[in-house]
Amino acid sequence: MVEALIKAKTEEERLLEFLRSIFLLIAMVGFVFYGMEHWILDHWTETWQSKIPFFVSLVGFPLTLLMFFHRGKWVRYPFLLWMLVSVLTGILGAYYHLVWNAQDAEVSLWSLAGFLEAFKGSRPVLAALAHTHVGAVAFVVGITIRD
């Protein structure tokens, strides 16, 4: 990203590389903050599955940082794959948060009232979707880069 921003010849190329850099920075900061949030707040249970978002952030941060300095296939393809892992982690996390909240509240997810009750439960559904957001933003940046 940095090299492409410096080498951009036209105003449009500079703007495109600048926007890519900004969105990549947003993703990188997201991985840092979500990883720190899980670690500092001890935001997991006894199960290994609850640590998955932390490890997704732990791997996502250096891959995103590396994208600022190298855009080759050997960096970009693992980066794109990991961003899809982040998206999937967020979607599955939101689903499981909904299911567990519905079980705690003893409601059905198949009714609007039950869904809304589960959505407002003790496990934040939107927090799990943060990984989906970060992964999707970074994935879009990665797929717009041409060799």
Side-chain angles (χ1 to χ4, degrees):
M1 290 295 165
V2 175
E3 184 180 346
L5 186 57
I6 292 169
K7 289 183 176 182
K9 292 178 176 70
T10 67
E11 191 65 32
E12 290 82 18
E13 286 178 5
R14 275 190 293 280
L15 178 62
L16 179 60
E17 294 305 329
F18 176 74
L19 290 174
R20 281 183 183 143
S21 298
I22 292 298
F23 283 113
L24 197 61
L25 182 65
I26 289 169
M28 188 176 71
V29 168
F31 281 125
V32 167
F33 284 130
Y34 298 141
M36 285 175 43
E37 184 259 343
H38 283 89
W39 178 54
I40 291 172
L41 296 180
D42 202 25
H43 190 96
W44 42 61
T45 62
E46 298 298 321
T47 64
W48 65 270
Q49 296 95 330
S50 66
K51 294 182 175 107
I52 290 173
F54 172 73
F55 292 118
V56 168
S57 294
L58 199 62
V59 173
F61 169 72
L63 279 174
T64 307
L65 181 63
L66 195 56
M67 283 291 291
F68 276 103
F69 303 104
H70 299 286
R71 293 166 51 151
K73 290 180 182 178
W74 65 274
V75 173
R76 193 164 35 108
Y77 289 160
F79 170 80
L80 288 170
L81 178 66
W82 201 255
M83 294 311 107
L84 291 176
V85 168
S86 181
V87 168
L88 185 62
T89 299
I91 291 170
L92 287 174
Y95 169 75
Y96 284 121
H97 280 197
L98 273 172
V99 168
W100 293 325
N101 287 342
Q103 288 174 350
D104 289 347
E106 297 177 356
V107 295
S108 170
L109 286 174
W110 297 107
S111 70
L112 181 60
F115 178 83
L116 293 175
E117 183 69 29
F119 194 83
K120 296 185 298 185
S122 62
R123 292 171 190 91
V125 176
L126 291 178
L129 289 174
H131 281 281
T132 300
H133 171 256
V134 169
V137 167
F139 184 80
V140 169
V141 169
I143 62 170
T144 62
I145 296 172
R146 302 281 184 244
D147 292 329

